[in-house]
Amino acid sequence: MNKKQLIAFGTALALCLPLTACGGSGSESNGEVNVYNWGEYLDEDLLDQFEEETGIKVNYSTYSDNESLYATLKSGSGGYDVIIPSDYMISRMIEEDMLLELDFDQIPNYEYIDEDYKGLEYDPDNAYSVPYMWGVVGIVYNTTMVDYEPTSWDILWDEDLSGQILMFDNSRDAIGIALKLLGYSYNTTNEDEIVAAVDKLIEQKPLVQAYVMDQIFDKMEAGEAAVGPYYAGDAITMMEENPDLSFFIPDEGTNYYVDAMCIPKDADNVENALAFINFMCDPESSAANAEYIYYSTPESAAKELLSDELKNSDIAYPSQEIMSLTEVYTNLPQDILDLYDSEWLRLKAS
């Protein structure tokens, strides 16, 4: 039994408490709720607990990135009640009238969300979203395959690692890395800078073994690749499974993100969605989830319940020095989003 399995077992025991102990929604309602989340981003034992407490059946499915989520919702398919996009995508969905304003009277556990995660640029009035987890992007690498201590995004262009490099398979993260390596902002609207970033990715492409999202777990854990960019919480999971792996934040800086729970405007089960969001905001639920997925909770009350190992992790909770190097993605103008789409196609077709 590995550490994550032990944590899940311990969490299950800890959560075998009277239903009122969790401070959830207290709902007596039945029915269902359709939850759409990133892959590898939830302790699914919590779904069982929610069902037991509320009588609400959870239909749970996953997506690989913000752009896939957006495309699914925009096409009108899915029928989801709770989604968990990242900051910049929330902003875009608000602008396009895709999200429902939340009834916070039905989310009393929102009080546990730290003030640092309220009133942020993507939802300045705290009307459409409730923070779920946060983190940073960095680089996972295999210390037995990389014979130096890397400090820069340029390791992803290291010709000596040709065929052993993994790269994000979504436009915002991949183009963002190239922008940062070239010294530009993640949020630039300068078309020449974006084109230059994609030129840099085209230069990298012959070195890339695969463009990946959740596939990175199997490849890095099995030693099938030497290096790849990914999210800090998932890096901890990979390092646990393969002790040869390490993680660093590049000197050029990186992305800091907040993922948040939202309700699509066409949701069919709004009351149940609000009950689910409230349940996930309970400090015990948030702590159990963070302990399982290794992402960073936006609740101080939940953080206090974490193991010392995770609570003191400089990957899950980076220093202020590291955080000073980070930049949050913002929603981009439509003409720049269109440019991203066409440039991403140019990369893939090259």
Side-chain angles (χ1 to χ4, degrees), residues 236-287:
I236 298 174
T237 296
M238 287 182 258
M239 291 165 64
E240 178 186 284
E241 294 299 321
N242 184 343
D244 290 331
L245 300 180
S246 189
F247 178 83
F248 74 97
I249 300 297
D251 289 344
E252 296 92 349
T254 191
N255 170 230
Y256 153 62
Y257 55 86
V258 177
D259 297 329
M261 296 175 283
C262 306
I263 300 178
K265 198 154 193 181
D266 60 355
D268 292 325
N269 304 290
V270 174
E271 298 297 316
N272 291 348
L274 291 165
F276 181 84
I277 292 171
N278 188 61
F279 171 82
M280 293 305 299
C281 286
D282 180 86
E284 289 187 7
S285 298
S286 185

Side-chain angles (χ1 to χ4, degrees), residues 22 56 110 149 158 192:
C22 289
I56 299 168
Y110 182 69
E149 188 171 336
D158 186 339
D192 291 340

